[in-house]
Amino acid sequence: MKEKSVKNSQAYFDCNATTPVLAAAAQAALHAMETLYGNPSSTHLVGLQAKNILESTRALASQAVGSDSAEIIFTSGATEAIQTAIFSTLQHLKSKNSQSRNKLLYAATEHKAVPMALKYWVKMLDLPYEIIELPVDRNGQLQLEVFKEELKDAALVCTMAVNNEVGVIQNLASIEKILIGSQSEALWLVDCVQALGKVDLNLSRSRIDYAPFSGHKLYAPKGIGFLYVKKGAPFYPLIVGGGQEKGFRSGTENLPGVAALGAMLKELLKKREKSDFQPHARLVEFRDQLLKELRQAFPKILFNSPIKFSVPTTINFSVPGFKSGELLDVFDSAGLRVSAGSACSSASVKPSHVLDAMGYPEWRSASALRLSFGPCTSEQEINLGCQLIQESAAVLKNNCLLETSATSGSPGDLKDGILNFIAGHSNSWVIVDKQSRSCIILDPTEPVAERIESFVRCQNLNVLAILDTHSHADHESVRPVFQKSLSDKMKHSGAEFGSLGWPKKASVVKLESWLEVPAILINSTKDGDLVLARLETPGHTSDSVSYFLGIAKSGRLSKSDVNFVFSGDLILSGGLGRTNFFISSPSALFYSLKKLESCISHLSVLCPAHDYDNSYATNLETEIRRNPLLSSALDRIVPMSLESFVERKMQVDRDLLDPEDSIGEVVCGVVSSCTALQDESLAVSAQTMR
């Protein structure tokens, strides 16, 4: 059997999400569909042939996990298996009317399918049970002392064999020792999805009661999996009907999927020298090769996977100064298929519950990438992956977006435009003008300051100004220190600057409203002067300002010529800036919104200081459409009163989550969709990858 060939210089390293279907599995499925297409419940020859596939695969599965064949039930995958195990446990407890053991325990790094199933079935079965999340340490291991204490009243314990995000191998032996030593009657569910083919399993000799498995994590197609149920463990079918699987799981079996899974299990059980499944030592060599390449490509890389406690096939890492989406795009363009450390949706505020539980700071979670290969990955694909890692880093270095070992580099292909440097939920912006080879830096933050400086020096840019859009209620700005660090690159060395970094000597332009405001001249063009104008827009703080980038003609910057607006925390994507700091004023914000609208186009790009929904930028037209409060404040037909605005804005601010319960930093504005804004609530959701 040959692994799926590497085509078009593509290296697939997202095997924890799903593995490719290998040739033997595809052929087995096709053979089952074309030749052995009978129903396993039929008693004629074709049906008996199909039944043979079913039972031979069951025997292979039991051999692979160390169980009896009667303990294997085929399912559509791991999610169904988890639901079935939890439903069986809770239905059993309900039938016994058990009140003495009323705690359901799960490790904080479990796949979300587990706690969500616990909550769902407790509610559906109307059970008075307490669901408790057990903490883990920095290495992702269950904190055993806490586990011991909570175990006294536990009816169910849910843990993982191998974590899907960071690859941590859970210390099941220690957990089992505590369960046996305490003579606990709690049932034990162990998610073994990422363990099959990577760690040795002998379930019948363990204390484990339930263990789910998924075929598409082991080179079989999606839609097939199985559940190990220990003899004597409670079982209630989740799906009833035709009585298939001895009544444990009704519905005509997915015979092509079973056949494909059987082919993979047969391959797994071969002697290693005759199998495409790599021995453990070889997988470790592959991992070490990838680690070496990653360290060379990204000298400041931080590994979130505790290497000593993890399977060799999973590497979770963060690169300071880069959000996961940025690196993901670069890798994907090169043909390297990896995944973000979590599956962040536009509404996600906490990107990875696993890294949060392990005690990592929020920025590492937001920057995390997961590189995962499989036990059948070839040396050819590992070598190609290493090559593509270096090519990806070279692209970043050539564009001065990745710091090199030297203090300065050769200028890359400089282009006019706006660069966005992200740290957590904070945006830093750099305006770049190619002709004058100059730049303006706005709202710098400490995590990206070094990266911005590297870019400035590599491109040999003159810095016209380093600006903040407002002072901060909770911390000092990095701007003064950053300005000193780049003093040799400041175009006007020795010039005087105001509190937010604005040069005291500046030009003047008139806005659409004929308001005269200060401006920095960036460059003169045939169409007019490229300027950055400054408009006072207090509200979020008493000194908040907005900066307008555009072409001023004859000293006037009209609405249509304002291309970008650096709005600080006045208007965010999906909401408005917070106004309940001691230096805030909701009434001032009300008037600033009206002033801003009078000076810019509804299509001018708004570049906020914070980004809570991965939008990067927005515009006034979009925000008016999605934000009822903003729409009402700017409505010219039925204008909203100042009093009503202040009342509603204060309520919105009160509904903001406490920073420690939300994103680990002070929330500077509403993060919400239009619907949630109407409810005046903060929508928080988290999605994770299997």
Side-chain angles (χ1 to χ4, degrees):
M1 182 185 74
K2 297 292 184 181
E3 185 178 4
K4 188 177 181 180
S5 61
V6 179
K7 296 180 180 180
N8 301 323
S9 297
Q10 172 180 284
Y12 182 79
F13 286 109
D14 196 19
C15 288
N16 282 14
T18 191
T19 52
V21 177
L22 297 192
Q27 289 166 8
L30 186 62
H31 183 62
M33 287 188 284
E34 291 183 339
T35 306
L36 305 176
Y37 46 79
N39 189 321
S41 297
S42 299
T43 56
H44 49 63
L45 178 60
V46 179
L48 292 174
Q49 289 174 328
K51 184 76 170 180
N52 181 61
I53 291 177
L54 195 68
E55 296 309 321
S56 62
T57 301
R58 196 187 312 276
L60 289 168
S62 66
Q63 188 179 349
V65 303
S67 73
D68 187 271
S69 292
E71 297 173 309
I72 302 298
I73 301 168
F74 289 114
T75 67
S76 63
T79 300
E80 182 194 328
I82 289 169
Q83 302 292 319
T84 304
I86 290 175
F87 172 75
S88 294
T89 299
L90 297 182
Q91 186 62 40
H92 171 70
L93 294 170
K94 186 174 184 178
S95 67
K96 290 180 62 178
N97 196 24
S98 175
Q99 299 294 327
S100 58
R101 295 181 292 125
N102 60 358
K103 291 182 178 179
L104 309 175
L105 313 181
Y106 73 94
T109 51
E110 292 298 297
H111 187 274
K112 283 297 182 182
V114 170
M116 289 179 73
L118 289 171
K119 293 169 187 175
Y120 178 80
W121 288 113
V122 163
K123 181 179 179 181
M124 293 299 292
L125 297 174
D126 193 24
L127 295 172
Y129 293 145
E130 184 180 3
I131 300 172
I132 297 175
E133 180 182 277
L134 299 173
V136 299
D137 61 22
R138 191 62 173 236
N139 292 318
Q141 299 294 328
L142 198 66
Q143 292 187 16
L144 297 179
E145 291 304 315
V146 178
F147 172 57
K148 283 182 186 178
E149 185 62 30
E150 297 290 356
L151 184 60
K152 298 173 184 176
D153 303 313
L156 175 65
V157 175
C158 302
T159 61
M160 300 183 96
V162 175
N163 183 265
N164 55 297
E165 284 196 33
V166 293
V168 167
I169 303 170
Q170 192 59 241
N171 191 342
L172 298 181
S174 295
I175 296 172
E176 182 173 68
K177 185 176 180 181
I178 293 171
L179 284 165
I180 295 173
S182 64
Q183 297 183 330
S184 172
E185 295 181 18
L187 292 164
W188 189 14
L189 166 66
V190 178
D191 181 347
C192 290
V193 169
Q194 296 292 343
L196 191 59
K198 302 169 188 174
V199 298
D200 292 332
L201 296 170
N202 197 333
L203 297 180
S204 286
R205 293 188 179 182
S206 74
R207 170 68 171 71
I208 297 169
D209 296 289
Y210 307 100
F213 296 87
S214 183
H216 76 101
K217 311 296 183 179
L218 197 74
Y219 302 100
K222 300 166 186 65
I224 185 64
F226 61 94
L227 174 66
Y228 161 80
V229 182
K230 195 177 193 68
K231 289 179 182 177
F235 190 88
Y236 290 79
L238 187 65
I239 302 174
V240 296
Q244 288 87 352
E245 291 295 283
K246 298 179 182 178
F248 293 136
R249 199 271 190 185
S250 293
T252 303
E253 297 88 347
N254 174 11
L255 195 66
V258 170
L261 177 62
M264 290 299 92
L265 291 170
K266 185 180 293 184
E267 193 68 25
L268 174 65
L269 292 167
K270 283 182 181 178
K271 290 184 178 180
R272 290 295 184 183
E273 61 270 16
K274 296 180 180 180
S275 172
D276 280 354
F277 280 79
Q278 304 282 0
H280 179 78
R282 188 64 170 144
L283 297 177
V284 171
E285 289 177 6
F286 287 167
R287 178 193 63 193
D288 291 346
Q289 186 178 345
L290 288 165
L291 290 175
K292 180 181 178 181
E293 293 297 330
L294 286 167
R295 288 190 180 104
Q296 288 180 350
F298 306 100
K300 294 189 176 182
I301 193 171
L302 297 170
F303 292 104
N304 303 317
S305 295
I307 303 303
K308 293 181 180 179
F309 298 92
S310 301
V311 290
T313 52
T314 302
I315 303 172
N316 191 300
F317 63 91
S318 299
V319 178
F322 286 93
K323 211 167 183 178
S324 56
E326 295 176 286
L327 283 180
L328 195 63
D329 289 343
V330 174
F331 283 143
D332 204 44
S333 296
L336 182 63
R337 313 305 178 203
V338 300
S339 61
S342 62
C344 303
S345 72
S346 62
S348 296
V349 174
K350 298 180 75 173
S352 171
H353 73 285
V354 172
L355 297 184
D356 285 349
M358 292 170 66
Y360 286 113
E362 191 277 336
W363 76 263
R364 281 181 71 167
S365 183
S367 303
L369 288 177
R370 182 186 67 185
L371 187 158
S372 56
F373 58 95
C376 287
T377 296
S378 66
E379 181 179 3
Q380 177 193 8
E381 191 158 17
I382 293 293
N383 291 337
L384 178 58
C386 290
Q387 175 188 329
L388 296 180
I389 288 170
Q390 292 299 335
E391 289 179 6
S392 299
V395 169
L396 293 169
K397 290 174 183 176
N398 290 341
N399 286 277
C400 297
L401 294 174
L402 183 66
E403 186 179 7
T404 60
S405 56
T407 56
S408 63
S410 301
D413 183 16
L414 186 66
K415 295 180 175 64
D416 291 325
I418 313 295
L419 293 178
N420 180 211
F421 293 82
I422 304 169
H425 298 282
S426 296
N427 283 330
S428 296
W429 304 93
V430 179
I431 302 169
V432 178
D433 181 65
K434 179 178 180 179
Q435 183 178 337
S436 62
R437 209 153 194 99
S438 62
C439 69
I440 296 177
I441 302 166
L442 300 103
D443 285 324
T445 59
E446 187 174 359
V448 298
E450 189 173 352
R451 205 177 138 210
I452 294 174
E453 180 173 355
S454 176
F455 172 77
V456 169
R457 294 190 181 283
C458 177
Q459 292 286 7
N460 194 25
L461 298 177
N462 292 314
V463 181
L464 301 181
I466 303 175
L467 307 172
D468 285 321
T469 52
H470 57 279
S471 56
H472 305 280
D474 61 313
H475 66 277
E476 293 294 326
S477 171
V478 72
R479 179 190 49 77
V481 176
F482 195 30
Q483 189 169 296
K484 185 176 181 180
S485 177
L486 280 172
S487 60
D488 61 309
K489 304 302 294 181
M490 300 294 291
K491 184 173 182 179
H492 303 292
S493 180
E496 294 186 34
F497 299 93
S499 59
L500 297 178
W502 188 261
K504 292 190 175 180
K505 290 184 179 181
S507 303
V508 173
V509 297
K510 289 182 180 178
L511 302 178
E512 180 85 10
S513 59
W514 294 101
L515 182 66
E516 196 172 77
V517 297
I520 297 173
L521 175 62
I522 300 174
N523 189 20
S524 294
T525 72
K526 62 179 182 179
D527 298 319
D529 293 333
L530 178 64
V531 299
L532 185 73
R534 179 178 183 267
L535 180 70
E536 294 184 3
T537 50
H540 177 64
T541 63
S542 57
D543 61 353
S544 292
V545 297
S546 296
Y547 300 108
F548 302 166
L549 180 66
I551 300 292
K553 299 170 183 175
S554 301
R556 185 164 181 254
L557 186 60
S558 64
K559 279 187 175 186
S560 60
D561 289 326
V562 176
N563 297 319
F564 294 89
V565 179
F566 301 92
S567 53
D569 286 324
L570 175 63
I571 297 178
L572 304 176
S573 177
L576 300 175
R578 187 171 184 165
T579 52
N580 59 352
F581 295 121
F582 68 94
I583 53 176
S584 300
S585 170
S587 58
L589 187 81
F590 178 74
Y591 291 115
S592 291
L593 292 172
K594 292 179 176 292
K595 186 196 295 186
L596 182 76
E597 188 197 24
S598 71
C599 299
I600 68 171
S601 163
H602 279 206
L603 297 179
S604 298
V605 179
L606 298 177
C607 302
H610 287 92
D611 177 23
Y612 296 108
D613 66 355
N614 295 326
S615 292
Y616 297 99
T618 183
N619 60 48
L620 203 52
E621 181 178 285
T622 299
E623 295 310 311
I624 289 174
R625 186 172 62 249
R626 71 194 294 219
N627 187 336
L629 182 54
L630 178 62
S631 177
S632 297
L634 299 180
D635 194 324
R636 296 177 184 177
I637 299 174
V638 185
M640 186 182 204
S641 69
L642 172 62
E643 293 75 16
S644 296
F645 177 86
V646 170
E647 181 181 354
R648 286 185 61 188
K649 185 64 173 67
M650 290 176 68
Q651 180 59 52
V652 170
D653 288 339
R654 282 194 293 269
D655 288 341
L656 285 170
L657 291 182
D658 183 272
E660 292 185 2
D661 296 329
S662 54
I663 60 173
E665 61 185 66
V666 172
V667 179
C668 290
V670 173
V671 191
S672 184
S673 65
C674 177
T675 302
L677 275 169
Q678 288 173 321
D679 294 334
E680 296 181 334
S681 63
L682 177 63
V684 178
S685 66
Q687 296 182 0
T688 53
M689 67 181 75
R690 163 54 76 173

